[in-house]
Amino acid sequence: MNIPFLSLKDVTALHGTEINEAVSRVVNSGWYLQGKENETFEQNYADYIGTQYCVGVGNGLDALIWIYRAFIELGIMRPGDEVIVPANTFIASVLAITENGLTPVFVEPRPDTLEIDDEQIEKVITPLTKSILLVHLYGRCAYTERIGGLCEKYGLRLVEDNAQAHGCRYGDRRTGSIGYAAGHSFYPGKNLGALGDGGAVTTNDKRLADTIRALANYGSSRKYVFRYAGRNSRLDEIQAVVLDVKLRHLDEDNARRQQIAAYYYEHISNPLITLPQRLPDENNVYHLFPILVADGKRDALCDYLRQNGVGTQCHYPIPPHKQECYKQYSRLSLPVTERLAAEELSLPISPAMALSEAAMVVDALSGF
C-alpha cells in the first residue's frame, strides 16, 4: 500500500489535457504578463466568488499584505492599529499584519471546530482594534453571525484569509465575499492550485481594488508614474490560464473531497482519535482532513502510518506565537492552540483519491 498525503501529479492529470492545451496557447501567444488570460481569470473568479473585483497577485501572503497596506494608504488604518487573528493558523496570516506595522491580537480557537472562538473576540477589542482577520482554516467556514455583528458594532473591517477554502459557502454566499476583502492563495496544493505560486484579492470596493493593483505593480497604475512605493507581485498569464481551467472543475473536485471526508467520518473508529465537528458540506471544502490524536501519540501514529504506506502531515506543529520570529508573544497563554499544535494530524484527501484508498487509511488507523 502506498497512499501519498497529496500527489500533485495525479491532481493535475485530472484535467491534464485542458491544462496542456491552455498553457500551449499562452506559450505560443508571446504574451506572458498582464494580458487577456489574466483579465479572463480575474473576471471568472470574481463571478465565482460573488464579488465585483478580483486582483491577481504573486501569492496568498501578498494578497493579505496588499489588503492591509491599501487600508493604510487609504487612511483607513495606520501602523500600530490592532488586528484580531486566530492563534492557530499558518504564519502567513500573522505575517501580513506585522509586515504592515500592525499589531496581531491572538484569539484562541474552539477545540471542536478548530476555528476562531467567536465568544472570545469581544474581550480583546480595544480602541486600537480596526479589523478581524478571519481564517477559514482547513477549508472550514469560520464565519458566524456573532463575528459579523461585532464588526458592525465596533466598525471593524472583516478580512477573510480564504487561502484554504475555495468554493466554501456560508448560506448563499461563498467565503471570499463575506468580508470587506479577502486574500486567496493558489499554491499548488490548494483546492484551486496553480502550477506555481499565485494569489488574488477579492472585494466589492473599487478604490481598494485599484489601490491593490497599483501597489502590486511597483506602486503604479499608469506606466512610469508611481503613486505608491509598491512592489512587483503579479499573477502571470500561464498561472492565470491554468487556474481558469481548474476553476471550471472546482465544484466537482470539492465534491470528491467531501465524499472522501464523509467516508472518514463514518468509518474512523479509534479511541485515541477525535474528529472535528462535522459541518454540512456547503461549509467545508476539506482542503485538509485534520484529526486530533490524544495521549501524546500523534507522532507515533504518524510514524505508524508511514510504515504502513500512508502519508500524513502535521498542521501546524509550532503555532505563530511560539515561532522565533515572534518571540515577543511567546509568553502568551494560549493552551487550546498549543494543544491542537501537539495533537493535529492531517490525513490524505484530494480529488484524485479513490474511496478504496480512504478505506485503506481507515484500516490502518484501526490497527493503531
Side-chain angles (χ1 to χ4, degrees), residues 239-258:
Q239 304 308 334
V241 78
V242 169
L243 291 166
D244 205 49
V245 168
K246 296 177 78 172
L247 179 61
R248 296 196 290 268
H249 301 282
L250 178 57
D251 288 342
E252 65 188 79
D253 287 347
N254 283 343
R256 185 59 177 175
R257 290 175 180 270
Q258 290 161 345

Side-chain angles (χ1 to χ4, degrees), residues 82-347:
E82 296 173 351
V83 178
I84 292 171
V85 64
N88 68 315
T89 184
F90 182 56
I91 200 169
S93 309
V94 187
L95 289 171
I97 297 169
T98 59
E99 175 75 11
N100 284 292
L102 303 168
T103 301
V105 177
F106 298 100
V107 172
E108 289 266 61
R110 281 178 47 176
D112 57 339
T113 68
L114 311 183
E115 307 298 322
I116 194 169
D117 187 343
D118 61 4
E119 294 185 358
Q120 306 301 318
I121 293 175
E122 192 166 19
K123 300 174 184 177
V124 301
I125 293 176
T126 76
L128 288 175
T129 307
K130 296 297 188 293
S131 173
I132 297 175
L133 177 52
L134 188 65
V135 183
H136 302 295
L137 201 64
Y138 307 116
R140 302 167 62 90
C141 180
Y143 180 78
T144 67
E145 292 298 323
R146 183 193 292 266
I147 291 173
L150 290 172
C151 289
E152 184 174 351
K153 179 179 178 180
Y154 292 99
L156 308 179
R157 300 283 182 174
L158 181 63
V159 176
E160 297 173 79
D161 182 339
N162 201 51
Q164 299 185 2
H166 313 121
C168 189
R169 288 183 177 273
Y170 179 84
D172 60 354
R173 292 176 290 174
R174 292 194 192 273
T175 57
S177 70
I178 299 170
Y180 195 85
H184 308 254
S185 169
F186 303 130
Y187 181 79
K190 298 295 199 278
N191 291 40
L192 182 61
L195 299 185
D197 275 322
V201 174
T202 53
T203 183
N204 288 318
D205 185 330
K206 184 179 188 302
R207 190 167 68 135
L208 185 73
D210 289 346
T211 302
I212 290 169
R213 192 177 297 281
L215 284 167
N217 186 38
Y218 301 98
S220 171
S221 56
R222 185 158 60 93
K223 194 167 185 177
Y224 299 131
V225 178
F226 302 92
R227 182 171 183 178
Y228 311 105
R231 293 184 184 175
N232 177 12
S233 176
R234 300 173 299 197
L235 187 68
D236 68 66
E237 292 283 278
I238 287 180
Q239 304 308 334
V241 78
V242 169
L243 291 166
D244 205 49
V245 168
K246 296 177 78 172
L247 179 61
R248 296 196 290 268
H249 301 282
L250 178 57
D251 288 342
E252 65 188 79
D253 287 347
N254 283 343
R256 185 59 177 175
R257 290 175 180 270
Q258 290 161 345
Q259 291 173 356
I260 299 295
Y263 188 91
Y264 283 156
Y265 270 109
E266 292 161 11
H267 294 89
I268 290 176
S269 180
N270 185 311
L272 291 170
I273 295 173
T274 299
L275 303 183
Q277 180 186 95
R278 188 174 181 179
L279 301 177
D281 278 350
E282 68 173 13
N283 303 137
N284 195 347
V285 292
Y286 295 100
H287 169 59
L288 299 170
F289 192 93
I291 64 174
L292 301 178
V293 187
D295 296 344
K297 295 187 176 180
R298 190 266 308 275
D299 293 346
L301 176 57
C302 179
D303 290 341
Y304 172 83
L305 292 174
R306 184 178 65 251
Q307 292 166 11
N308 284 273
V310 177
T312 60
Q313 282 194 17
C314 299
H315 296 91
Y316 297 95
I318 306 174
H321 74 286
K322 290 296 185 182
Q323 297 287 351
E324 185 176 357
C325 63
Y326 288 129
K327 57 187 175 183
Q328 67 267 39
Y329 302 113
S330 63
R331 294 187 179 181
L332 289 175
S333 177
L334 298 168
V336 178
T337 294
E338 290 169 21
R339 179 171 68 83
L340 294 180
E343 294 184 355
E344 194 277 346
L345 188 68
S346 296
L347 302 180

